[in-house]
Amino acid sequence: FGPTVSEDGTTFRVWSPGARKLELVLHPETPYERRLPFERQAEGFWQAWAPGVAGGTRYRLRRDDRWPQPDPASPFQPDGVFGPSEVVDFGAYRWRHDDWQGLAADEVVLYEVHVACLDAAGSGTYEDLRRRLPELAELGITALKLMPLATAAGAHNWGYDGVFHLAPLAAYGRPQQLQRLVDEAHGLGLAVLLDVVTNHFGPEGNPMWQMSRGFFHREANTAWGPGPRFDREAVLAYFEQMAWHFAHHYRFDGHRVDAVHAIPAAERRPHLERLARGQAAG
């Protein structure tokens, strides 16, 4: 799912099994103002190759000649849930603490953090937290757990109604700043975990509903809205990629999964097994 950057361009993949036509719309603010067609692949996927498109390029997806939408698997939403998606070159960050080996479970002294709350005005950022890391390590903390980062509507959010599960909220900073936060935490001997919400999408700005409505149960709602169909391979794969994404590109050490009880019992175990597989592969 989403864009994959290479040396000479970017490959985009989208799951939209009901679409008749799909176009990549490269944002006018980039030097690559153009539209490119997707080609239909197996299992409801579509793929497009965009030569010359690199990190920082903004884009949208246009299904069946409708109004262009952000990418449900966007890696970054710099202008919020209704703005264009942005391609991210995760390989641009140079990691300093490649020797980090993680912690044993009995070494974990967990400290839960809401990034915004590191500022008295509720406008805290990754940089604010990064500057506090030595203080937290001195207290005896050995692991941070960041409350959910998935992009949701608005500039302030508790994180539990995200609609872009692979895109950390722009109000806290850019992807490289999150990479640097995790990197410096590891340098101080701190593990970093991420709280994730997989049992539902938020109520506003969800492009998956337009692009791939079959992603959701129509009859089995959670308390917060339609739940993902974890009986479908593409849905399991999407969230497995989410776990891999944060383990591989950001080097998070693990996840806390919110409200697992809200996932239908028959679908719960396969989902958790795939999340664990994604984390291990990352």
Side-chain angles (χ1 to χ4, degrees), residues 102-155:
L103 300 177
D106 59 2
E107 298 176 303
V108 173
V109 180
L110 197 64
Y111 186 83
E112 184 177 67
V113 179
H114 189 292
V115 175
C117 294
L118 290 160
D119 177 271
S123 301
T125 66
Y126 302 131
E127 289 296 293
D128 293 323
L129 178 54
R130 185 182 63 80
R131 288 190 286 267
R132 296 281 296 277
L133 290 177
E135 174 188 347
L136 295 174
E138 189 176 346
L139 281 174
I141 303 302
T142 64
L144 303 178
K145 181 178 78 69
L146 303 188
M147 291 177 68
L149 301 179
T151 295

Side-chain angles (χ1 to χ4, degrees), residues 88-97 126-127 130 133 146 149 168 173-187 192 245-252:
V88 176
D89 181 2
F90 291 102
Y93 181 77
R94 295 294 176 255
W95 293 87
R96 296 172 55 206
H97 301 289
Y126 302 131
E127 289 296 293
R130 185 182 63 80
L133 290 177
L146 303 188
L149 301 179
R174 292 191 58 82
Q176 284 195 349
Q177 291 173 312
L178 179 56
Q179 290 176 309
R180 184 183 180 191
L181 168 64
V182 176
D183 195 11
E184 294 201 12
H186 288 167
V192 188
H245 175 79
F246 283 102
H248 182 77
H249 292 311
Y250 293 100
R251 302 195 179 182
F252 276 88

Side-chain angles (χ1 to χ4, degrees), residues 165-166 196 198 237-246 255 275:
H165 294 87
L166 280 67
V196 294
T198 63
Y238 171 85
F239 285 108
E240 179 180 345
Q241 180 175 327
M242 178 202 70
W244 174 87
H245 175 79
F246 283 102
H255 298 86
L275 286 180

Side-chain angles (χ1 to χ4, degrees), residues 20 23 37 50 59 69 80 83 91 110 127 155 167 178-180 182 190 200 204 214 218 230 236 253 256 278:
R20 299 185 303 275
E23 289 180 300
Y59 69 99
Q69 300 283 327
L110 197 64
E127 289 296 293
L178 179 56
Q179 290 176 309
R180 184 183 180 191
V182 176
L190 300 171
H200 74 285
E204 185 176 1
R218 293 178 180 269
F230 293 107
L236 291 170
D253 296 283
R256 178 259 179 187

Side-chain angles (χ1 to χ4, degrees), residues 190-270:
L190 300 171
V192 188
L193 310 178
L194 180 62
D195 201 344
V196 294
V197 182
T198 63
N199 64 80
H200 74 285
F201 282 57
E204 185 176 1
N206 174 15
M208 189 71 85
W209 187 255
Q210 299 295 328
M211 197 64 60
S212 313
R213 190 165 297 191
F215 196 94
F216 301 96
H217 281 291
R218 293 178 180 269
E219 67 287 345
N221 284 344
T222 72
W224 310 279
R229 287 193 57 176
F230 293 107
D231 59 347
R232 300 195 72 162
E233 169 58 27
V235 178
L236 291 170
Y238 171 85
F239 285 108
E240 179 180 345
Q241 180 175 327
M242 178 202 70
W244 174 87
H245 175 79
F246 283 102
H248 182 77
H249 292 311
Y250 293 100
R251 302 195 179 182
F252 276 88
D253 296 283
H255 298 86
R256 178 259 179 187
V257 186
D258 183 65
V260 172
H261 68 275
I263 299 170
E267 301 175 19
R268 198 174 301 152
R269 184 183 182 95

Side-chain angles (χ1 to χ4, degrees), residues 21-40:
K21 174 184 176 183
L22 199 62
E23 289 180 300
L24 176 68
V25 181
L26 293 158
H27 200 272
E29 293 180 1
T30 77
Y32 310 107
E33 183 180 356
R34 63 185 190 271
R35 292 182 180 181
L36 298 173
F38 277 83
E39 295 183 359
R40 190 187 297 271

